[in-house]
Each structure stands twice: as C-alpha cells, then as structure tokens.
Amino acid sequence: GLVLGLIFGEPGSAARTGPLSEGEVRDVVYAFADAYTAEDPAALRATLGRNVERTAPGGTSRGRDAVVDQYDRQFDGKVDGYELDDLEVQAGRGGRASGTYHVERDTGDPYDGSIVFGVVRERGEPRIALIAFTPSS
C-alpha cells in the first residue's frame, strides 16, 4: 500500500496546474485583505508568492520576507478593516485583480487608493506575485 501510495499518490493530492480561475484569483486577493485586517503577518505570508513584488510610489520591495516585513512595520493594532471595492478580476496563467482599497482605522484618518494584484499558480496554489498600489492624496 505504501509503495502504491508513493507511485499514484492520494486521490486529489496532485498539485493543481493550468490557468487560474476568476474564483481562485478573487479568493487569494480577499485572503490578503482578511490577513491585513487581522494584522496577521503569517496569514499575509500564506497569500504571497516566493518572489512577490510590492510596488508603491515610494519604492519597491521584492521577495516574500521583504514584503511581509514592510506590512508588519505598518501594523499597529489599529486597523479596523481593509476593503477592496470595484474589483475587476481576470483569470489566466497570470491572473489579475484591480480596484480600489480602503483601510479603516480605529483611530486616525482612513486611507485609500488604487491597487493591482498579479496572481500566479505556485506549487499548485494561487499566490500573489505583484502588489502595485497608489494611495489617494
């Protein structure tokens, strides 16, 4: 049984391949928003690809560790919500989601802007490979 399991694997255990569906792109982007709302670096990390790039007007961070560190420095226990609006999702080998974001805070002014996520399949799972945003002034 062990040998057959190693050869054929468990039913449904094969890594998914092929283009991303709109649902997969949407799910990973909303998982990112949920992780941001919870200010949870581990959950945020789980949504990101190994070579993710985060691009903002002030600069670019490359790699999962650098991007998670960038967000972790922003987390201060005062995020009350991270909402994505007007989200347009495209399926494909390289999925895309674009729209606007709004961050509500327990204290202080909220902030918002426009955002684009690039999504790829990494080891069978949808992962964010690009986060490009421009805050509203």
Side-chain angles (χ1 to χ4, degrees):
L2 177 61
V3 173
L4 291 175
L6 292 173
I7 293 171
F8 297 108
E10 295 291 320
S13 68
R16 295 198 62 189
T17 60
L20 295 156
S21 69
E22 284 185 17
E24 288 176 308
V25 173
R26 185 176 289 106
D27 288 350
V28 74
V29 168
Y30 280 122
F32 171 91
D34 290 345
Y36 192 103
T37 296
E39 298 187 73
D40 184 342
L44 192 72
R45 171 181 289 283
T47 69
L48 303 176
R50 289 186 311 267
N51 299 314
V52 63
E53 183 174 296
R54 177 185 179 269
T55 301
T60 299
S61 300
R62 290 182 180 85
R64 187 183 292 136
D65 290 339
V67 171
V68 171
D69 286 346
Q70 189 73 34
Y71 283 110
D72 197 27
R73 284 194 296 266
Q74 294 177 18
F75 294 159
D76 59 5
K78 297 178 183 170
V79 173
D80 194 37
Y82 184 103
E83 296 176 18
L84 295 168
D85 294 312
D86 306 318
L87 201 63
E88 293 182 23
V89 178
Q90 297 173 345
R93 285 217 174 268
R96 183 178 192 273
S98 60
T100 59
Y101 67 92
H102 177 81
V103 178
E104 196 64 43
R105 302 188 41 81
D106 289 335
T107 60
D109 293 332
Y111 50 94
D112 49 21
S114 60
I115 193 161
V116 175
F117 295 93
V119 179
V120 297
R121 189 176 303 285
E122 189 173 284
R123 296 184 178 171
E125 297 296 323
R127 296 288 183 250
I128 296 170
L130 172 69
I131 304 166
F133 67 95
T134 304
S136 299
S137 297

Coordinates of all heavy atoms in Angstrom, one line a residue, residues 4-83:
L4 N 2.3 1.8 -3.5 CA 1.3 2.3 -4.4 C 0.9 3.7 -4.1 O 0.7 4.5 -5.0 CB 0.1 1.4 -4.4 CG 0.2 0.0 -4.9 CD1 -1.0 -0.8 -4.7 CD2 0.6 0.0 -6.4
G5 N 0.9 4.1 -2.8 CA 0.6 5.5 -2.5 C 1.7 6.4 -3.0 O 1.4 7.5 -3.4
L6 N 2.9 6.0 -2.9 CA 4.0 6.8 -3.4 C 4.0 7.0 -4.9 O 4.3 8.0 -5.4 CB 5.4 6.3 -2.9 CG 5.6 6.3 -1.4 CD1 6.9 5.6 -1.1 CD2 5.7 7.8 -1.0
I7 N 3.6 5.9 -5.6 CA 3.6 5.9 -7.0 C 2.4 6.7 -7.5 O 2.5 7.6 -8.4 CB 3.5 4.5 -7.6 CG1 4.9 3.8 -7.3 CG2 3.3 4.5 -9.1 CD1 4.9 2.3 -7.6
F8 N 1.2 6.4 -7.0 CA 0.0 7.0 -7.5 C -0.5 8.2 -6.7 O -1.4 9.0 -7.2 CB -1.1 6.0 -7.6 CG -0.8 4.9 -8.6 CD1 -0.5 3.6 -8.2 CD2 -0.8 5.2 -9.9 CE1 -0.2 2.6 -9.1 CE2 -0.5 4.2 -10.9 CZ -0.2 2.9 -10.4
G9 N -0.1 8.4 -5.5 CA -0.5 9.5 -4.6 C -1.9 9.3 -4.1 O -2.6 8.4 -4.5
E10 N -2.3 10.1 -3.2 CA -3.7 10.1 -2.7 C -4.6 10.7 -3.7 O -4.2 11.6 -4.5 CB -3.7 11.0 -1.4 CG -2.9 10.4 -0.3 CD -3.5 9.1 0.3 OE1 -4.7 9.0 0.4 OE2 -2.7 8.2 0.5
P11 N -5.8 10.3 -3.8 CA -6.8 10.9 -4.7 C -6.9 12.4 -4.4 O -7.1 12.8 -3.3 CB -8.1 10.1 -4.4 CG -7.7 8.9 -3.8 CD -6.4 9.1 -3.1
G12 N -6.8 13.2 -5.4 CA -6.9 14.6 -5.2 C -5.7 15.3 -4.7 O -5.7 16.5 -4.4
S13 N -4.6 14.5 -4.5 CA -3.4 15.1 -3.9 C -2.5 15.8 -4.9 O -1.6 16.5 -4.5 CB -2.6 14.0 -3.2 OG -2.0 13.1 -4.1
A14 N -2.7 15.6 -6.2 CA -1.9 16.2 -7.2 C -2.0 17.7 -7.1 O -3.1 18.3 -6.9 CB -2.3 15.7 -8.6
A15 N -0.9 18.4 -7.3 CA -0.9 19.9 -7.4 C -1.7 20.3 -8.6 O -1.6 19.8 -9.7 CB 0.5 20.4 -7.4
R16 N -2.6 21.3 -8.4 CA -3.3 21.9 -9.5 C -2.4 22.5 -10.5 O -1.4 23.1 -10.1 CB -4.4 22.8 -9.0 CG -5.4 22.1 -8.1 CD -6.6 22.9 -7.9 NE -7.3 23.1 -9.2 CZ -8.3 23.9 -9.4 NH1 -8.8 24.6 -8.4 NH2 -8.8 24.1 -10.6
T17 N -2.7 22.4 -11.7 CA -2.0 23.1 -12.7 C -2.9 23.9 -13.6 O -4.1 23.8 -13.5 CB -1.2 22.0 -13.6 OG1 -2.1 21.2 -14.2 CG2 -0.2 21.2 -12.7
G18 N -2.3 24.6 -14.6 CA -3.2 25.3 -15.6 C -3.5 26.7 -15.1 O -3.1 27.1 -14.1
P19 N -4.3 27.3 -16.0 CA -4.7 28.7 -15.7 C -5.5 28.8 -14.4 O -6.2 27.9 -14.0 CB -5.6 29.1 -16.9 CG -5.2 28.1 -18.0 CD -4.8 26.8 -17.2
L20 N -5.4 30.0 -13.8 CA -6.2 30.3 -12.6 C -7.6 30.7 -13.0 O -7.8 31.4 -14.0 CB -5.5 31.5 -11.9 CG -4.2 31.2 -11.3 CD1 -3.4 32.5 -11.1 CD2 -4.3 30.5 -10.0
S21 N -8.5 30.3 -12.2 CA -9.9 30.7 -12.4 C -10.1 32.1 -11.8 O -9.3 32.5 -10.9 CB -10.9 29.7 -11.8 OG -10.8 29.8 -10.4
E22 N -11.2 32.8 -12.2 CA -11.5 34.0 -11.5 C -11.7 33.8 -10.0 O -11.3 34.7 -9.2 CB -12.8 34.6 -12.2 CG -12.6 35.3 -13.5 CD -13.8 36.0 -14.0 OE1 -14.7 36.3 -13.3 OE2 -13.8 36.2 -15.3
G23 N -12.3 32.7 -9.6 CA -12.6 32.5 -8.2 C -11.3 32.3 -7.5 O -11.2 32.8 -6.3
E24 N -10.3 31.6 -8.0 CA -9.0 31.5 -7.4 C -8.3 32.8 -7.2 O -7.8 33.1 -6.1 CB -8.1 30.5 -8.1 CG -8.5 29.1 -8.1 CD -7.7 28.2 -8.9 OE1 -7.5 28.5 -10.1 OE2 -7.2 27.2 -8.4
V25 N -8.4 33.6 -8.2 CA -7.7 35.0 -8.1 C -8.4 35.8 -7.0 O -7.8 36.4 -6.1 CB -7.8 35.7 -9.5 CG1 -7.3 37.1 -9.3 CG2 -6.9 34.9 -10.5
R26 N -9.8 35.8 -7.1 CA -10.5 36.6 -6.1 C -10.3 36.1 -4.7 O -10.1 36.9 -3.8 CB -12.0 36.5 -6.5 CG -12.9 37.3 -5.6 CD -14.4 37.3 -6.0 NE -14.6 38.0 -7.3 CZ -14.8 37.4 -8.5 NH1 -14.9 36.1 -8.6 NH2 -14.9 38.2 -9.6
D27 N -10.3 34.7 -4.5 CA -10.1 34.2 -3.2 C -8.8 34.6 -2.5 O -8.7 34.9 -1.4 CB -10.2 32.7 -3.2 CG -11.6 32.2 -3.4 OD1 -12.6 33.0 -3.4 OD2 -11.8 31.0 -3.7
V28 N -7.7 34.5 -3.3 CA -6.4 34.8 -2.7 C -6.3 36.3 -2.4 O -5.7 36.7 -1.4 CB -5.2 34.3 -3.5 CG1 -5.0 35.1 -4.8 CG2 -3.9 34.2 -2.7
V29 N -6.9 37.2 -3.2 CA -6.9 38.6 -3.0 C -7.7 38.9 -1.8 O -7.2 39.7 -0.9 CB -7.4 39.4 -4.3 CG1 -7.6 40.8 -4.0 CG2 -6.3 39.2 -5.4
Y30 N -8.8 38.3 -1.6 CA -9.6 38.6 -0.4 C -9.0 38.0 0.9 O -9.1 38.5 2.0 CB -11.1 38.1 -0.6 CG -11.9 39.0 -1.3 CD1 -12.6 38.6 -2.5 CD2 -12.1 40.3 -0.9 CE1 -13.3 39.5 -3.2 CE2 -12.9 41.2 -1.6 CZ -13.5 40.8 -2.8 OH -14.2 41.7 -3.5
A31 N -8.2 36.9 0.7 CA -7.5 36.3 1.8 C -6.4 37.3 2.3 O -6.1 37.5 3.5 CB -6.8 35.0 1.5
F32 N -5.8 38.0 1.3 CA -4.8 39.0 1.6 C -5.5 40.2 2.4 O -5.0 40.6 3.4 CB -4.2 39.6 0.3 CG -3.4 40.8 0.5 CD1 -2.0 40.7 0.7 CD2 -3.9 42.1 0.4 CE1 -1.2 41.9 0.9 CE2 -3.1 43.2 0.6 CZ -1.8 43.1 0.8
A33 N -6.7 40.6 1.9 CA -7.4 41.7 2.6 C -7.8 41.2 4.1 O -7.6 42.0 5.0 CB -8.6 42.1 1.9
D34 N -8.2 40.0 4.2 CA -8.5 39.5 5.6 C -7.3 39.5 6.5 O -7.4 39.8 7.6 CB -9.1 38.1 5.5 CG -10.5 38.1 4.9 OD1 -11.1 39.1 4.8 OD2 -10.9 36.9 4.5
A35 N -6.1 39.0 5.9 CA -4.9 39.0 6.7 C -4.5 40.4 7.1 O -4.0 40.6 8.2 CB -3.8 38.3 5.9
Y36 N -4.6 41.4 6.2 CA -4.3 42.8 6.5 C -5.2 43.3 7.6 O -4.7 43.9 8.6 CB -4.4 43.6 5.2 CG -3.8 45.0 5.4 CD1 -2.6 45.3 4.8 CD2 -4.5 46.0 6.1 CE1 -2.0 46.6 5.0 CE2 -3.9 47.3 6.2 CZ -2.7 47.5 5.7 OH -2.1 48.8 5.8
T37 N -6.5 43.0 7.5 CA -7.4 43.5 8.5 C -7.1 42.9 9.9 O -7.1 43.6 10.9 CB -8.9 43.0 8.1 OG1 -9.3 43.7 6.9 CG2 -9.9 43.4 9.2
A38 N -6.7 41.6 9.9 CA -6.3 41.0 11.2 C -4.9 41.4 11.6 O -4.5 41.0 12.7 CB -6.4 39.5 11.0
E39 N -4.2 42.1 10.8 CA -2.8 42.4 11.0 C -2.0 41.2 11.4 O -1.2 41.1 12.3 CB -2.7 43.5 12.1 CG -3.3 44.8 11.7 CD -3.1 45.9 12.7 OE1 -2.0 46.4 12.8 OE2 -4.1 46.2 13.5
D40 N -2.1 40.2 10.5 CA -1.6 38.8 10.8 C -0.5 38.6 9.7 O -0.8 38.1 8.6 CB -2.7 37.8 10.7 CG -2.2 36.4 11.0 OD1 -1.0 36.1 11.0 OD2 -3.1 35.6 11.3
P41 N 0.8 38.8 10.1 CA 1.9 38.5 9.1 C 1.9 37.1 8.6 O 2.2 36.9 7.4 CB 3.1 38.9 9.9 CG 2.7 39.7 11.0 CD 1.3 39.3 11.4
A42 N 1.6 36.1 9.4 CA 1.7 34.7 9.0 C 0.6 34.4 7.9 O 0.9 33.8 6.9 CB 1.5 33.7 10.1
A43 N -0.6 34.9 8.2 CA -1.7 34.8 7.2 C -1.4 35.5 5.9 O -1.7 35.1 4.8 CB -3.0 35.2 7.8
L44 N -0.8 36.7 6.0 CA -0.4 37.5 4.9 C 0.6 36.8 4.1 O 0.5 36.6 2.8 CB 0.2 38.9 5.4 CG 0.4 39.9 4.3 CD1 -1.0 40.5 3.9 CD2 1.2 41.0 4.9
R45 N 1.6 36.2 4.7 CA 2.7 35.4 4.1 C 2.1 34.3 3.3 O 2.6 34.0 2.2 CB 3.6 34.9 5.1 CG 4.7 33.9 4.7 CD 5.5 33.4 5.8 NE 6.4 34.4 6.3 CZ 7.6 34.8 5.7 NH1 7.9 34.2 4.5 NH2 8.3 35.7 6.1
A46 N 1.1 33.6 3.8 CA 0.5 32.5 3.1 C -0.2 32.9 1.8 O -0.4 32.0 0.9 CB -0.6 31.8 4.0
T47 N -0.5 34.1 1.6 CA -1.1 34.6 0.3 C -0.1 35.0 -0.8 O -0.4 35.1 -1.9 CB -2.0 35.8 0.5 OG1 -1.3 36.9 0.9 CG2 -3.1 35.5 1.6
L48 N 1.2 35.1 -0.3 CA 2.2 35.7 -1.2 C 3.1 34.6 -1.9 O 3.5 33.6 -1.2 CB 3.1 36.6 -0.4 CG 2.4 37.8 0.3 CD1 3.4 38.6 1.1 CD2 1.7 38.7 -0.7
G49 N 3.5 34.9 -3.1 CA 4.4 34.0 -3.8 C 5.9 34.3 -3.3 O 6.1 35.3 -2.7
R50 N 6.7 33.4 -3.5 CA 8.1 33.5 -3.1 C 8.8 34.8 -3.6 O 9.5 35.4 -2.8 CB 9.0 32.3 -3.5 CG 8.7 31.0 -2.9 CD 9.6 29.9 -3.3 NE 9.8 29.8 -4.8 CZ 9.1 29.1 -5.6 NH1 8.2 28.3 -5.0 NH2 9.3 29.1 -6.8
N51 N 8.5 35.1 -4.8 CA 9.2 36.3 -5.4 C 8.3 37.5 -5.6 O 8.5 38.2 -6.5 CB 9.8 35.8 -6.8 CG 10.8 34.8 -6.6 OD1 11.7 34.8 -5.7 ND2 10.7 33.7 -7.4
V52 N 7.3 37.6 -4.7 CA 6.4 38.7 -4.8 C 7.1 40.0 -4.8 O 8.2 40.2 -4.3 CB 5.4 38.7 -3.6 CG1 6.1 38.8 -2.3 CG2 4.3 39.7 -3.8
E53 N 6.5 41.0 -5.6 CA 7.0 42.3 -5.6 C 5.9 43.3 -5.2 O 4.7 43.2 -5.7 CB 7.4 42.6 -7.1 CG 8.0 44.0 -7.2 CD 8.6 44.2 -8.6 OE1 9.5 43.5 -9.0 OE2 8.0 45.1 -9.4
R54 N 6.2 44.2 -4.3 CA 5.3 45.2 -3.8 C 5.8 46.6 -4.3 O 6.9 47.0 -3.9 CB 5.2 45.2 -2.3 CG 4.3 46.2 -1.7 CD 4.5 46.1 -0.1 NE 3.7 47.1 0.6 CZ 4.1 48.3 0.9 NH1 5.3 48.7 0.6 NH2 3.3 49.2 1.6
T55 N 5.0 47.2 -5.1 CA 5.4 48.5 -5.7 C 4.5 49.6 -5.3 O 3.3 49.5 -5.5 CB 5.5 48.4 -7.2 OG1 6.4 47.3 -7.6 CG2 5.9 49.7 -7.9
A56 N 5.1 50.6 -4.7 CA 4.4 51.8 -4.3 C 5.1 53.1 -4.8 O 6.3 52.9 -5.2 CB 4.3 51.9 -2.8
P57 N 4.5 54.2 -4.8 CA 5.2 55.4 -5.3 C 6.6 55.6 -4.5 O 7.5 56.2 -5.1 CB 4.3 56.6 -5.0 CG 2.9 55.9 -5.1 CD 3.1 54.5 -4.5
G58 N 6.7 55.2 -3.3 CA 7.9 55.4 -2.5 C 9.0 54.3 -2.7 O 10.1 54.5 -2.2
G59 N 8.7 53.3 -3.5 CA 9.7 52.3 -3.7 C 9.1 50.9 -3.9 O 7.9 50.7 -3.9
T60 N 10.0 49.9 -4.0 CA 9.6 48.6 -4.3 C 10.3 47.6 -3.3 O 11.5 47.8 -3.0 CB 10.1 48.2 -5.8 OG1 9.4 49.1 -6.7 CG2 9.7 46.8 -6.1
S61 N 9.6 46.6 -2.9 CA 10.1 45.6 -2.0 C 10.0 44.3 -2.8 O 8.9 44.0 -3.5 CB 9.3 45.4 -0.7 OG 9.3 46.6 0.0
R62 N 11.0 43.4 -2.8 CA 11.0 42.2 -3.5 C 11.2 41.0 -2.6 O 12.1 41.1 -1.8 CB 12.0 42.2 -4.6 CG 11.7 43.2 -5.7 CD 12.8 43.2 -6.8 NE 12.4 44.1 -7.9 CZ 12.7 45.4 -7.9 NH1 13.4 45.9 -6.8 NH2 12.4 46.2 -8.9
G63 N 10.5 40.0 -2.8 CA 10.6 38.7 -2.0 C 9.6 38.7 -0.9 O 9.3 39.7 -0.3
R64 N 9.2 37.5 -0.6 CA 8.1 37.3 0.5 C 8.5 37.9 1.8 O 7.8 38.6 2.4 CB 7.8 35.8 0.6 CG 6.7 35.6 1.5 CD 6.4 34.1 1.7 NE 6.0 33.4 0.5 CZ 6.4 32.3 0.1 NH1 7.4 31.6 0.7 NH2 6.0 31.8 -1.0
D65 N 9.8 37.7 2.2 CA 10.2 38.2 3.5 C 10.2 39.7 3.6 O 9.7 40.3 4.5 CB 11.6 37.7 3.9 CG 11.6 36.2 4.2 OD1 10.6 35.6 4.5 OD2 12.7 35.6 4.1
A66 N 10.7 40.3 2.5 CA 10.8 41.8 2.5 C 9.4 42.4 2.5 O 9.1 43.4 3.1 CB 11.6 42.3 1.3
V67 N 8.5 41.8 1.7 CA 7.1 42.3 1.6 C 6.4 42.2 2.9 O 5.7 43.1 3.4 CB 6.4 41.7 0.4 CG1 4.9 42.1 0.4 CG2 7.0 42.1 -0.9
V68 N 6.5 41.0 3.5 CA 5.8 40.8 4.8 C 6.4 41.8 5.9 O 5.7 42.4 6.6 CB 6.0 39.3 5.3 CG1 5.5 39.2 6.8 CG2 5.2 38.4 4.4
D69 N 7.7 42.0 5.9 CA 8.3 42.9 6.8 C 7.8 44.3 6.6 O 7.5 45.1 7.5 CB 9.9 42.9 6.6 CG 10.5 41.7 7.2 OD1 9.9 40.9 8.0 OD2 11.7 41.5 6.9
Q70 N 7.6 44.7 5.3 CA 7.1 46.0 5.0 C 5.7 46.2 5.6 O 5.4 47.2 6.2 CB 7.0 46.2 3.5 CG 6.7 47.6 3.0 CD 7.8 48.6 3.3 OE1 9.0 48.2 3.2 NE2 7.5 49.8 3.6
Y71 N 4.8 45.2 5.4 CA 3.5 45.3 6.0 C 3.5 45.2 7.5 O 2.8 45.9 8.2 CB 2.5 44.3 5.4 CG 2.1 44.6 4.0 CD1 2.5 43.9 2.9 CD2 1.2 45.7 3.8 CE1 2.1 44.3 1.7 CE2 0.8 46.0 2.6 CZ 1.2 45.3 1.5 OH 0.8 45.7 0.2
D72 N 4.4 44.4 8.1 CA 4.4 44.2 9.5 C 4.8 45.5 10.2 O 4.3 45.8 11.3 CB 5.4 43.1 9.8 CG 5.3 42.5 11.3 OD1 4.2 42.6 11.8 OD2 6.3 42.0 11.8
R73 N 5.7 46.3 9.6 CA 6.0 47.6 10.1 C 4.8 48.5 10.2 O 4.8 49.5 11.0 CB 7.2 48.2 9.3 CG 8.5 47.6 9.7 CD 9.7 48.4 9.1 NE 9.7 48.5 7.7 CZ 10.4 47.7 6.9 NH1 11.1 46.8 7.3 NH2 10.3 47.9 5.6
Q74 N 3.9 48.3 9.3 CA 2.7 49.2 9.3 C 1.7 48.8 10.3 O 0.9 49.6 10.8 CB 2.0 49.1 7.9 CG 2.8 49.7 6.8 CD 2.0 49.5 5.5 OE1 0.8 49.2 5.4 NE2 2.8 49.6 4.4
F75 N 1.7 47.5 10.7 CA 0.7 47.1 11.6 C 0.9 47.6 13.0 O 2.0 47.6 13.6 CB 0.7 45.5 11.7 CG 0.3 44.8 10.4 CD1 0.7 43.5 10.2 CD2 -0.5 45.5 9.5 CE1 0.3 42.9 9.0 CE2 -0.8 44.9 8.3 CZ -0.4 43.6 8.0
D76 N -0.1 48.2 13.6 CA 0.0 48.9 14.9 C -1.2 48.6 15.8 O -1.4 49.2 16.8 CB 0.1 50.4 14.7 CG -1.1 51.0 13.9 OD1 -2.1 50.3 13.6 OD2 -1.0 52.2 13.6
G77 N -2.0 47.6 15.4 CA -3.1 47.2 16.2 C -4.3 48.1 16.0 O -5.3 48.0 16.8
K78 N -4.3 49.0 15.1 CA -5.4 49.9 14.9 C -6.2 49.8 13.6 O -7.0 50.6 13.3 CB -4.8 51.4 15.0 CG -4.3 51.6 16.4 CD -3.7 53.0 16.5 CE -3.0 53.2 17.9 NZ -2.3 54.4 18.0
V79 N -5.8 48.7 12.8 CA -6.6 48.5 11.6 C -7.9 47.9 11.9 O -8.0 46.9 12.6 CB -5.8 47.6 10.6 CG1 -6.6 47.2 9.4 CG2 -4.5 48.2 10.2
D80 N -8.9 48.6 11.4 CA -10.3 48.2 11.7 C -10.9 47.5 10.5 O -11.9 46.8 10.6 CB -11.2 49.4 12.1 CG -12.5 49.0 12.7 OD1 -12.5 48.0 13.4 OD2 -13.5 49.6 12.4
G81 N -10.3 47.6 9.3 CA -10.8 46.9 8.1 C -10.0 47.3 6.9 O -9.4 48.4 6.8
Y82 N -9.9 46.3 6.0 CA -9.2 46.5 4.7 C -10.2 46.1 3.7 O -10.5 44.9 3.6 CB -8.0 45.7 4.6 CG -7.1 45.9 3.3 CD1 -6.0 46.7 3.4 CD2 -7.5 45.3 2.1 CE1 -5.2 46.9 2.2 CE2 -6.8 45.5 1.0 CZ -5.6 46.3 1.0 OH -4.9 46.5 -0.1
E83 N -10.8 47.0 2.9 CA -11.9 46.7 2.0 C -11.4 46.9 0.6 O -10.7 47.9 0.3 CB -13.1 47.6 2.2 CG -13.7 47.4 3.5 CD -14.9 48.3 3.8 OE1 -15.4 48.9 2.8 OE2 -15.3 48.5 5.0

